[in-house]
């Protein structure tokens, strides 16, 4: 069984902004790292996260100024955090139940990354392709 840490380590260290950063800074940070969400860390402590949808729905649609709206005003607080040894199937189930697309992963108290639903689906696809290849080799070896 694959653990979520196997997916997270592919992504590198978690991208983060402080709660005092502007929504514009958060959006720029996400764009420059090519991610759809970033953690909100205050002195190393997880306060929440902010994603593209948060920026669109909580900043752009209400007509707030992205450069002067703080991340703390529009972030999602109290996010679900999974442990590194959680199975990727369990994380996918949690994401589907909670209707969210990104989840931070921790090893004990240390945040090790963020996994997106896209990461999980890519991981599942790669494993299915590898299993199919092994089956083909097995079948061809007996013909």
């Amino acid at each position: 069984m694959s653990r979520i840490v196997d997916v997270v380590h592919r992504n590198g260290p978690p991208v983060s902004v402080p709660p005092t950063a502007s929504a514009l800074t958060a959006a720029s940070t996400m764009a420059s790292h090519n991610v759809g969400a970033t953690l909100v860390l205050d002195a190393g402590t997880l306060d929440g996260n902010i994603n593209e949808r948060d920026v669109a729905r909580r900043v752009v649609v209400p007509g707030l100024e992205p450069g002067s709206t703080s991340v703390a005003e529009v972030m999602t607080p109290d996010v679900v955090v999974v442990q590194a040894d959680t199975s990727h199937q369990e994380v996918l189930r949690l994401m589907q139940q909670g209707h969210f697309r990104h989840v931070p992963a921790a090893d004990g108290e240390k945040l090790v990354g963020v996994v997106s639903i896209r990461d999980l689906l890519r991981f599942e696809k790669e494993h299915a392709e590898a299993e199919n290849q092994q089956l083909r080799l097995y079948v061809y070896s007996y013909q």
Side-chain angles (χ1 to χ4, degrees):
M1 181 179 299
S2 298
R3 302 170 312 146
I4 200 62
V5 72
D6 300 326
V7 178
V8 170
H9 281 156
R10 297 172 168 205
N11 298 337
V15 177
S16 67
V17 295
T20 56
S22 69
L24 180 61
T25 297
S28 296
T29 299
M30 287 184 275
S32 68
H33 287 87
N34 197 30
V35 296
T38 181
L39 300 178
V40 180
L41 299 179
D42 189 7
T45 301
L46 181 64
D47 277 1
N49 75 2
I50 185 166
N51 60 48
E52 298 160 326
R53 187 175 286 176
D54 294 333
V55 173
R57 290 182 176 177
R58 298 176 186 167
V59 179
V60 176
V61 170
L64 300 176
E65 176 56 45
S68 61
T69 302
S70 74
V71 167
E73 296 174 64
V74 294
M75 71 180 187
T76 300
D78 304 320
V79 296
V80 172
V81 178
V82 296
Q83 287 299 307
D85 61 350
T86 306
S87 74
H88 70 279
Q89 293 96 341
E90 175 65 11
V91 174
L92 186 57
R93 186 188 66 73
L94 287 169
M95 292 170 101
Q96 289 171 332
Q97 281 183 334
H99 303 287
F100 48 85
R101 298 175 299 157
H102 300 88
V103 63
D107 189 359
E109 294 294 314
K110 180 183 179 201
L111 291 169
V112 294
V114 175
V115 64
S116 72
I117 197 154
R118 179 177 289 167
D119 297 330
L120 288 170
L121 294 175
R122 184 181 306 120
F123 187 79
E124 289 277 338
K125 179 181 179 253
E126 289 170 1
H127 278 275
E129 289 172 350
E131 286 178 7
N132 284 339
Q133 182 62 26
Q134 287 177 341
L135 285 172
R136 279 190 216 106
L137 291 173
Y138 178 76
V139 168
Y140 291 137
S141 69
Y142 285 100
Q143 288 183 350

